[in-house]
Amino acid sequence: MPSDLKQWLECRAAQYVAGQGANIITPQQALAPPLAGLQIFDAPLLGFGRADDPLFDTFLSPQIIGPHYLTPRQWMPGSVSVVSFFLPFTAAVRHANRQNFSWPALAWLHARIEGQALVTQLARHLCEGLQQRGYTAMIPLLDERFRIDDAPFPGDRQFRFGNTANWSERHAAYVCGLGTFSLSRALITRRGTAGRLGSLLTDAPIEPDERPYRTYDAYCTHCGACVRHCPVGAITLQGGKSNALCGRMVMDTNIAYGDYYGCGKCQVAVPCESAIPGQPTDLLKYAP
């Protein structure tokens, strides 16, 4: 097993994000002049798992994702390892989205759209690096088989936001030891929930990371801060998050801004914004 492969991927990811102009909002992209020059992400976190980890099979349960979910070995029969990464939003992005709990900040919308573009670029960059070393690698979200499920949920069956997909970045990250789920269904990493996730599969033999938790919500304290911050009441302490209600809020922003959409109020001004609750965070205070 190449002992340096994990460290090499971590270094390659960090150098790529740090050196990418795509991590900075340009004047041409900016939805408002003050946003030009905004940095979207801090340095990435990487996690590694086994493609044959039995946890992936449990996601086929309708109570978790459903039978439409494809396991790593279904996406890539020869896969050996899963590489997951989390790109945490900068303090500037997070602070901007704390200012108004009824509508997302423009900085957050940039982080969602231009940020996701950089997530895709990073996944491709890691894949290319592995391929140059003689391995095979692929990205489920960029595969032609990737789709959003049309399983029924309260409301319009055709409403895109709120349905589940046949690959989940959050669940892959959970298997790879990056974090556990919050009440709002975000993933709580050691850099918090505010950020974007990506993943890829490879036949490279990479030592899996240990999962420092035993339950899916081990890091969530169920404090209710995300419940209070949701502008449409999509989160409850008893029922968790309603994807349909959340999706309608996101769709409203999509109607308002065209190619841009997002919300993220459940990921800011909460104890899990930028750290695991109970661990050091840069938050000065939480919104009431």
Side-chain angles (χ1 to χ4, degrees):
M1 180 179 296
S3 60
D4 67 331
L5 195 53
K6 181 183 293 189
Q7 292 76 20
W8 175 78
L9 283 166
E10 291 172 336
C11 183
R12 184 176 176 87
Q15 290 177 345
Y16 187 79
V17 173
Q20 276 300 298
N23 197 22
I24 304 294
I25 300 302
T26 67
Q28 294 74 27
Q29 293 170 327
L31 292 170
L35 295 174
L38 174 75
Q39 180 178 327
I40 302 172
F41 294 122
D42 287 329
L45 301 178
L46 270 68
F48 304 89
R50 289 171 30 225
D52 63 351
D53 192 305
L55 266 181
F56 286 113
D57 291 325
T58 69
F59 301 155
L60 294 166
S61 166
Q63 285 71 43
I64 301 179
I65 298 178
H68 59 284
Y69 175 80
L70 298 180
T71 65
R73 289 285 175 85
Q74 289 175 304
W75 285 105
M76 179 180 166
S79 59
V80 175
S81 304
V82 181
V83 181
S84 176
F85 59 85
F86 177 71
L87 285 168
F89 290 146
T90 60
V93 171
R94 295 184 278 107
H95 292 179
N97 210 35
R98 295 182 203 157
Q99 305 310 308
N100 178 347
F101 281 91
S102 63
W103 197 249
L106 296 180
W108 189 271
L109 299 183
H110 276 301
R112 174 63 182 84
I113 302 305
E114 278 83 14
Q116 184 59 39
L118 183 53
V119 167
T120 299
Q121 293 171 26
L122 175 58
R124 284 176 168 154
H125 183 67
L126 296 178
C127 272
E128 290 167 0
L130 287 166
Q131 290 162 356
Q132 290 166 7
R133 286 195 161 205
Y135 300 108
T136 300
M138 64 86 65
I139 304 165
L141 260 67
L142 301 184
D143 190 90
E144 62 183 7
R145 293 169 294 168
F146 177 77
R147 65 180 179 87
I148 304 295
D149 178 48
D150 62 354
F153 60 92
D156 182 1
R157 284 176 59 92
Q158 301 306 314
F159 191 68
R160 180 179 182 275
F161 298 102
N163 292 349
T164 59
N166 57 0
W167 179 253
S168 167
E169 303 289 22
R170 291 171 300 145
H171 288 78
Y174 174 77
V175 174
C176 291
L178 278 179
T180 75
F181 290 86
S182 67
L183 187 66
S184 65
R185 298 187 184 172
L187 196 85
I188 304 174
T189 74
R190 66 177 185 272
R191 291 296 309 277
T193 59
R196 303 296 300 167
L197 289 159
S199 64
L200 56 101
L201 309 177
T202 179
D203 60 0
I206 306 172
E207 182 180 0
D209 288 336
E210 179 181 354
R211 287 191 287 270
Y213 41 78
R214 294 187 177 182
T215 60
Y216 76 96
D217 61 350
Y219 294 160
C220 181
T221 64
H222 293 256
C223 67
C226 60
V227 175
R228 297 191 296 273
H229 293 167
C230 180
V232 293
I235 309 168
T236 64
L237 284 172
Q238 297 75 26
K241 189 176 85 169
S242 163
N243 282 346
L245 288 176
C246 176
R248 291 191 181 96
M249 171 65 186
V250 174
M251 182 61 82
D252 285 345
T253 65
N254 188 221
I255 292 170
Y257 293 106
D259 293 336
Y260 290 84
Y261 55 85
C263 177
K265 297 306 177 181
C266 58
Q267 297 178 24
V268 295
V270 292
C272 58
E273 177 186 305
S274 59
I276 297 170
Q279 296 187 7
T281 174
D282 70 346
L283 285 179
L284 298 178
K285 62 180 180 180
Y286 303 133

